[in-house]
Amino acid sequence: MMRMLEYLLDISSVDPDEQRRAKLLQILLLGIAGLMPLALLMTTIAVVSGVASIQQREVLLVYFGSLITLFGVIVIFFINRYGPTWLASSIFLLLITAVVAFTDAPQQVVAGRGVFLFAIPILMASMILRPWASFIWAALSSLVIATIAVVELQWVPSIPVMTGFFAVAFVSWLSARSMEQALDEVRTINRELDRRVEQRTRDLAEALAREHAEASKNRAILDGIADGVIVFDRENRAIVANPAVSNILDRPVEAVLGTDIEQILGDDVSPEDKKTILSLLQDHEKTSAGIKFEMGEKTLSVSFAPVHGREGEFLGTVVVFRDFTREAEIDRMKSDFVSIVSHELRTPLTSIQGYLDLLLMEAAGPITKQQASFLEIAKGNAERLHELVSDLLDISRIESGKAELDLQVVSLPEIIEQVAAAMRPEFDERGLTLTLDIPRDLPEIFGDPMRIRQVLTNLLGNAYKYTPKGGATVRVRQVDNALQVDVEDTGIGIAKEDMDRLFTRFFRAEDRFVRQQQGTGLGLNITKSIVEMHGGHIWVESEPGKGSTFSFTLPLPAGLVKVPVEEQLPLRKPALSGEEPAAVPSGPWILVVDDDPQVARLFQQELQKEGYRVMVVTQGSRVVEVARQLQPELITLDLLMDVDGLAVLQQLKREPDTADIPVVIVSVVPDAEQGLALGAADYLVKPLNEGELLSCVRRLLEQREAESPGKILVVDDEIDIVGWLKHALTHYGYQVDEAYDGIQALEAVAANKPDLILLDMKMPRMDGRTTVRRLRENPDTRDIPIIILSANPITDEREREQLTGLGVREFLRKPVTAEQLVAEVQKYLNHSG
């Protein structure tokens, strides 16, 4: 199958750009050829089941359109393989344009859902033809829409739509043109420079051994090299430098001679890069490949070639510097291109998923079971497309070195329990078991909790998808200086010949059951990269038909931090064979603070029986930190601990993130006056009467639920997204105002101050960052919590810290489900929905 696929995709051409376009067209044709029979089958099923009629115009259009498209794809495929690629691409784009124009109602093509689809051939034209071809297809699409509007509907053609086509064509032309130029320049420059550097470095290494006899020849070679060359002696002092060094390092040749590498680099190079370069210079045994580093505003590459005499004695080192600034700029352009594409994909995906959620919530009226089923299919595929976009962006960031870890002290069992709780309903739905085998005394580690959660979700997701019966088990053990996590399943297993390619991109095993499951083949590659970024490694053991075990390690910090057993979240014990797993509480979070483990455990069991989720802390010094991260709905607080409980209460009420959380003091000290004066919601005296704690907790939570819904200001330049957010939040009982840029947002806040702001970052007139700063400058608005909801994630840690200091409480990435959005809103409005 793979050989057949490689044969079909193989296009012979001396022009690499022509070959790339032809291969891309072949991939598109094969994909469409595979989808057409599926469309015919689904339409036939709909006709046979009575959902649709063969007499309906849409059904006939699907039949004829699919057959014509399939025939056209086959013809284009052979033209592309044996004829000119430009002809095949042109016919393909004409076919796509015709399908878009004539397989839907004229009203939808001119001013409805079909308008958006005309952007597909416009974007494709710049990739499979030439960059300027996007303008031709923009003009053609405008002509088609104008013709349909005038002839079929007697409408005036929509000028904004046509203008939009040319705007899409311009962006597509600019991106494709920049990419082709960059690829061509990189190929030419790298091929030539690598050849020259390799040859001339070898020449210089040999010339140093014949220093006295060939001094004049060496000097001529050095002077003619465009790269900067410095020769260091045994003591790592510069003894020879060519004129190019002066331009590349911004140092006169006279200032370089007689100095060491640290003096040459100066203060423009970071200490970490200096340390790496010095270690490579001191390695007198092997030649090192070029490494890149920043020097001021330049990006340089440096390589080292030690020189040895005839008897093997070390004579010195030849160091070659190359200006890599142009190539670095090309990498930045690539990153910007990925960012733009991700924004343009995520924005419509947000609208699609949002309005699907509204329909499923019956916000627009009741729907039938069949309609709900169709909507669930559409929602699932939208989420699948979102996952693919996210995976591609993750790979791009990891490749470019821009993926950074937000290292924190984390409890691995707590993360595993959270992931398991989120995925357990999916396992239960298919009759699969999910067992956790986690010791209670594991040390904490340094890691990025979000990334570790992503690794576990990927591995458990694979176990769920490829396990027809049985289940999965997650085990954690301390092995030497690392924690080892094993995810074991009883699934279909992995063939031996597939093991070596399992962690490569886009790989999916040639197995019928595997192909039936949705997937992109990117998850394990990303998982491997994340584990290695943490300093660990990942491997798999498997046997076909007997399941698989994926294992990975995360290194322990130098000083191990033992987690007190009482402070861990209650972990699920492994279910015995034939025993039903205990139900996981899903109610509000309660933080129980008491230095007596037995009392804390008693409170925990009593609250969990009522359906509350409970976190226990036995050290008063950790209460504020845990409360800030957990954001519980209520806290029970003892006063007699390692720190004064009243001081903890004061600190909770001073912190903006915890000030609104109700605190119930539970103490043996019968002095309620001071605690209530400091902001406690209630005061209970030990020992408690039966049901007294539950009654107090229930009463306070009901009071919070009875509070009036909060006012939310939605700020986004996309009218569809604003509409979805307004409908979704209104459905959950919130009052919603709307604004379409930063200036309108400031006006809306001045007219009617909201309790929370949902803010997009990329908007006309005034963007999100400026809006946040303006709100912060005004004393009347600086306390309004802000949630960023943007298609472009803010990955720069310094920028996130600045925005957090200006009042931003959360960073959400489009698309987001209504449930996720409301869950975040509830944290800051004290409203249960």
Side-chain angles (χ1 to χ4, degrees), residues 137-149 162 165:
W137 249 259
L140 179 62
S141 300
S142 300
L143 179 61
V144 170
I145 284 186
T147 303
I148 295 174
M162 299 179 184
F165 286 163

Side-chain angles (χ1 to χ4, degrees), residues 377-564:
I377 292 173
K379 181 181 178 182
N381 281 279
E383 291 173 351
R384 181 182 176 189
L385 181 57
H386 172 226
E387 291 174 1
L388 175 60
V389 172
S390 298
D391 287 347
L392 290 173
L393 289 174
D394 273 343
I395 288 178
S396 176
R397 292 193 190 95
I398 291 171
E399 274 189 345
S400 61
K402 293 183 179 180
E404 298 180 356
L405 298 178
D406 180 16
L407 295 178
Q408 305 174 19
V409 177
V410 296
S411 169
L412 189 57
E414 182 177 335
I415 294 178
I416 294 174
E417 179 69 18
Q418 292 171 355
V419 174
M423 300 195 67
R424 195 176 297 277
E426 299 180 26
F427 278 79
D428 294 342
E429 185 178 355
R430 291 181 57 175
L432 303 175
T433 62
L434 178 55
T435 305
L436 304 184
D437 182 8
I438 307 175
R440 309 284 284 184
D441 57 348
L442 292 174
E444 293 180 326
I445 62 172
F446 286 121
D448 185 332
M450 183 183 72
R451 291 295 189 177
I452 296 174
R453 196 174 291 113
Q454 183 179 355
V455 168
L456 290 165
T457 301
N458 280 341
L459 295 181
L460 277 177
N462 283 346
Y464 161 77
K465 287 192 291 187
Y466 304 124
T467 302
K469 61 181 180 179
T473 301
V474 182
R475 294 188 177 89
V476 187
R477 295 290 183 271
Q478 181 174 341
V479 180
D480 298 327
N481 293 323
L483 292 185
Q484 177 176 321
V485 181
D486 301 317
V487 180
E488 179 182 353
D489 64 58
T490 59
I492 61 174
I494 304 167
K496 185 176 181 180
E497 59 269 20
D498 292 334
M499 299 284 276
D500 293 338
R501 296 186 294 163
L502 192 62
F503 292 98
T504 59
R505 294 179 203 161
F506 299 107
F507 173 75
R508 302 195 75 199
E510 295 297 331
D511 183 276
R512 181 179 60 84
F513 186 82
V514 172
R515 292 296 175 177
Q516 290 175 350
Q517 307 298 319
Q518 293 184 354
T520 62
L522 296 174
L524 286 177
N525 180 262
I526 295 173
T527 296
K528 180 175 182 290
S529 298
I530 293 174
V531 170
E532 291 175 349
M533 287 169 65
H534 279 83
H537 64 284
I538 186 170
W539 68 96
V540 62
E541 298 175 357
S542 182
E543 188 175 342
K546 295 185 179 180
S548 307
T549 300
F550 284 84
S551 303
F552 67 92
T553 59
L554 296 173
L556 293 171
L560 300 183
V561 182
K562 293 288 185 178
V563 181

Side-chain angles (χ1 to χ4, degrees), residues 149-280:
V150 173
V151 175
E152 294 286 338
L153 303 174
Q154 287 76 48
W155 288 2
V156 176
S158 176
I159 300 303
V161 169
M162 299 179 184
T163 304
F165 286 163
F166 282 95
V168 172
F170 177 76
V171 173
S172 179
W173 168 79
L174 186 63
S175 302
R177 179 173 173 271
S178 300
M179 183 179 68
E180 289 193 359
Q181 289 178 346
L183 288 173
D184 185 62
E185 290 179 13
V186 168
R187 282 195 293 264
T188 303
I189 293 173
N190 281 347
R191 185 166 53 249
E192 178 62 20
L193 289 181
D194 286 344
R195 185 190 65 79
R196 288 167 58 191
V197 169
E198 180 181 358
Q199 179 63 40
R200 290 169 183 172
T201 301
R202 189 183 302 113
D203 292 342
L204 290 174
E206 295 173 356
L208 185 61
R210 304 186 300 273
E211 178 181 356
H212 298 292
E214 302 181 0
S216 59
K217 181 179 179 180
N218 288 346
R219 190 73 258 173
I221 293 175
L222 284 172
D223 291 346
I225 295 178
D227 296 317
V229 179
I230 303 178
V231 180
F232 291 88
D233 61 13
R234 293 187 181 93
E235 286 73 34
N236 292 332
R237 295 281 175 179
I239 56 175
V240 178
N242 70 341
V245 167
S246 179
N247 295 327
I248 294 177
L249 300 181
D250 294 328
R251 307 275 194 276
V253 174
E254 295 76 14
V256 171
L257 297 176
T259 60
D260 58 23
I261 190 70
E262 291 188 82
Q263 293 173 311
I264 293 172
L265 296 177
D267 297 331
D268 294 333
V269 180
S270 68
E272 294 79 9
D273 288 336
K274 277 187 181 180
K275 185 177 179 180
T276 302
I277 293 171
L278 182 60
S279 65
L280 292 173

Side-chain angles (χ1 to χ4, degrees), residues 67 73 87 104 120 131 140 290 315 476 480 523 582 668 690 704 730:
L67 292 173
V73 163
L87 178 60
D104 205 344
I120 296 175
L140 179 62
L315 301 177
V476 187
D480 298 327
V668 295
E690 183 178 359
R704 296 189 77 191
T730 303

Side-chain angles (χ1 to χ4, degrees), residues 758-811:
L758 285 174
L759 181 65
D760 187 22
M761 295 301 290
K762 191 175 181 181
M763 299 181 295
R765 295 207 299 172
M766 182 184 293
D767 62 9
R769 293 172 179 82
T770 306
T771 305
V772 172
R773 286 196 293 270
R774 291 285 187 88
L775 291 169
R776 182 65 174 175
E777 292 168 359
N778 188 343
D780 296 331
T781 60
R782 65 177 51 172
D783 60 335
I784 301 175
I786 301 171
I787 296 179
I788 297 296
L789 180 60
S790 177
N792 290 326
I794 300 175
T795 57
D796 185 79
E797 191 61 32
R798 181 177 299 176
E799 184 178 6
R800 289 176 70 96
E801 291 177 359
Q802 291 175 349
L803 289 171
T804 301
L806 292 174
V808 175
R809 302 295 180 83
E810 195 62 66
F811 298 87

Side-chain angles (χ1 to χ4, degrees), residues 18-39:
E18 194 71 15
Q19 187 180 40
R20 173 176 56 81
R21 297 189 189 100
K23 191 170 184 179
L24 178 59
L25 179 59
Q26 293 291 76
I27 293 172
L28 292 172
L29 292 171
L30 290 175
I32 294 175
L35 289 175
M36 290 303 102
L38 181 61

Side-chain angles (χ1 to χ4, degrees), residues 307-324:
V307 180
H308 298 274
R310 294 181 179 179
E311 297 180 0
E313 73 276 13
F314 173 71
L315 301 177
T317 306
V318 177
V319 180
V320 180
F321 292 89
R322 186 204 301 178
D323 191 339
F324 208 78

